[in-house]
Amino acid sequence: MQTSAAAAARIIAGDSANSGAMTHAWIFTGPPGSGRSVAARAFAAALQCATGTGCGHCHGCHTTLTGTHADVRLVVPEGLSIGVGEMRALVLRAGSAPSGGRWQIVIIEDADRLTEAAGNALLKAVEEPPPRTVFLLCTPSTHPDDISVTIRSRCRVVPLRQPAADAVATVLVRRDGVAPDVAAWAAAAAQGHVGRAKRLATDAQARARREAVLAVPRRLTGVGAAFDAASAFIEAAEAEAADANTESDATERADLERALGAGGTGRGAAGAIRGAAGQLKDLERRQKSRATRAQRDALDRALVDLAGFYRDVLTKGVGAPVAPVHNDVLPMAEAAAQKWTPEATLRRLEAVLACRTAIDANVKPRIAVEAMMLTLWRG
Ligand SMILES: [Zn+2]
């Protein structure tokens, strides 16, 4: 993955060198797990490389890839959106001349989460780019829902494809030292998502959560069971998100309180406390946004696993000659394929996908999941 992305970056960098004029704004698109941000980082390294090739070894390459290059700024949104304040500050910094490198580079991961105002702030910079500044945006697609048409029209697009399961398995074996049989299983179960495959291969909790999700179809024996399953589904996502964030929330708060001099007395302390209240509120707001995001991500992972199961039932039902996603629960999928018509299976699969879409469109997760579970039960 890393190497193929680097190779792609070298080709792009070479291409732009040959054509003479550098493009100042690029969009890397591809489904989750396709390596958008890895490719963008590799490209940034190639731009900062001492030899101009993206060698991976020189100071410019190394510092870019490890995130310490002074002229490469990486924006990784933690919350649901990237706000206008953050974007204005970035655009301002990006406008300065590179301090040591050849370019001033801004990489924006999940650029589909720019708020409209933030998008407008970025658009101004992309329309009249400072001479040595390059913007690298990562989005799932160039659909107007993901990136505004005006920004898109100013960018060169680099589309990435989702890697095949055996390519993902090879990465896990070579890069992470995973046993080949575990790697093959995890790559198939992760449906082409490299990061997810690694987590399944190396994290027992992630495996346990997946097993709980795949037990859902068996548990749907009536209306009551459907609502119980919906509750369990939501609560599991909440617990997973809490696990991921509780520690960092507490650390951030303690750090901020220390920085603000909590417990201090004397002149100016009262004024400092008033300012501190605002900053703490701001931190709480950001943490809440991050928690919502983490819950949605956890839910989405569970829904993708569930969709994989119904997809397996469907391919078994119609006898399609394709490899199953969830090899380890194949007997269950085969049994379901005997029981349900392909049409009923398809309705179930569509219910899972509709639930994803609804949550994405801000429908309350519990309502969307309950509706889905009822369809999964009834068919
Ligand atoms: Zn280099």
Side-chain angles (χ1 to χ4, degrees):
M1 197 60 235
Q2 185 95 29
T3 45
S4 66
R10 275 198 292 276
I11 293 164
I12 305 164
D15 176 46
S16 64
N18 293 338
S19 63
M22 172 66 179
T23 303
H24 289 261
W26 301 71
I27 301 180
F28 291 79
T29 66
S34 61
R36 300 186 297 248
S37 62
V38 175
R41 271 179 242 210
F43 182 36
L47 289 175
Q48 302 292 23
C49 177
T51 63
T53 59
C55 67
H57 306 294
C58 72
H59 186 70
C61 279
H62 183 72
T63 49
T64 302
L65 293 174
T66 53
T68 54
H69 197 294
D71 296 331
V72 180
R73 229 151 303 284
L74 179 67
V75 185
V76 187
E78 290 185 325
L80 291 172
S81 61
I82 305 173
V84 64
E86 191 180 348
M87 189 47 63
R88 283 206 186 112
L90 251 173
V91 165
L92 200 64
R93 287 211 54 173
S96 59
S99 62
R102 302 157 65 214
W103 301 94
Q104 192 58 265
I105 301 176
V106 178
I107 304 174
I108 305 178
E109 281 189 14
D110 301 323
D112 50 307
R113 283 199 224 120
L114 291 168
T115 61
E116 200 184 335
N120 288 337
L122 175 65
L123 178 63
K124 276 196 201 113
V126 173
E127 275 177 337
E128 289 166 38
R132 306 300 296 171
T133 302
V134 182
F135 290 92
L136 307 179
L137 315 179
C138 307
T139 67
S141 75
T142 52
H143 189 276
D145 282 353
D146 286 337
I147 193 83
S148 85
V149 176
T150 37
I151 291 181
R152 153 79 188 80
S153 69
R154 302 276 169 176
C155 295
R156 195 182 290 190
V157 178
V158 183
L160 301 173
R161 277 187 323 178
Q162 198 158 45
D166 52 350
V168 175
T170 306
V171 169
L172 295 188
V173 172
R174 285 213 198 125
R175 186 191 65 185
D176 305 314
V178 174
D181 55 333
V182 177
W185 163 80
Q191 303 178 53
H193 192 303
V194 183
R196 170 82 175 142
K198 184 183 175 185
R199 224 167 301 124
L200 284 175
T202 56
D203 180 352
Q205 267 189 328
R207 280 197 294 274
R209 280 193 287 262
R210 171 181 168 276
E211 271 164 32
V213 167
L214 293 179
V216 163
R218 260 200 313 256
R219 292 176 51 190
L220 298 173
T221 51
V223 178
F227 278 98
D228 287 348
S231 283
F233 209 77
I234 297 281
E235 279 153 24
E238 284 171 354
E240 186 183 342
D243 268 1
N245 283 336
T246 309
E247 204 173 315
S248 49
D249 281 1
T251 315
E252 281 170 2
R253 193 181 173 96
D255 285 351
L256 181 60
E257 282 174 346
R258 205 171 310 118
L260 294 169
T265 54
R267 276 203 297 169
I273 287 166
R274 275 196 300 279
Q279 289 195 40
L280 281 172
K281 238 201 172 95
D282 195 45
L283 177 67
E284 277 166 14
R285 192 179 46 74
R286 272 185 288 127
Q287 289 182 340
K288 192 157 178 254
S289 169
R290 182 171 65 193
T292 309
R293 170 84 213 287
Q295 273 175 33
R296 288 206 193 161
D297 285 351
L299 259 182
D300 201 57
R301 269 193 295 279
L303 290 171
V304 169
D305 283 345
L306 205 52
F309 171 77
Y310 290 104
R311 175 245 185 230
D312 286 349
V313 177
L314 190 61
T315 55
K316 283 286 152 203
V318 298
V322 291
V325 171
H326 300 300
N327 228 331
D328 46 352
V329 291
L330 204 54
M332 202 169 97
E334 282 166 347
Q338 296 282 320
K339 211 164 60 182
W340 303 333
T341 64
E343 290 80 5
T345 305
L346 192 57
R347 279 196 294 276
R348 290 179 168 96
L349 178 55
E350 280 172 347
V352 180
L353 301 179
C355 181
R356 286 185 83 193
T357 311
I359 291 172
D360 207 39
N362 279 325
V363 172
K364 210 164 175 281
R366 183 172 291 272
I367 292 174
V369 170
E370 283 173 354
M372 173 190 78
M373 291 294 183
L374 285 172
T375 306
L376 295 185
W377 162 60
R378 272 196 310 251

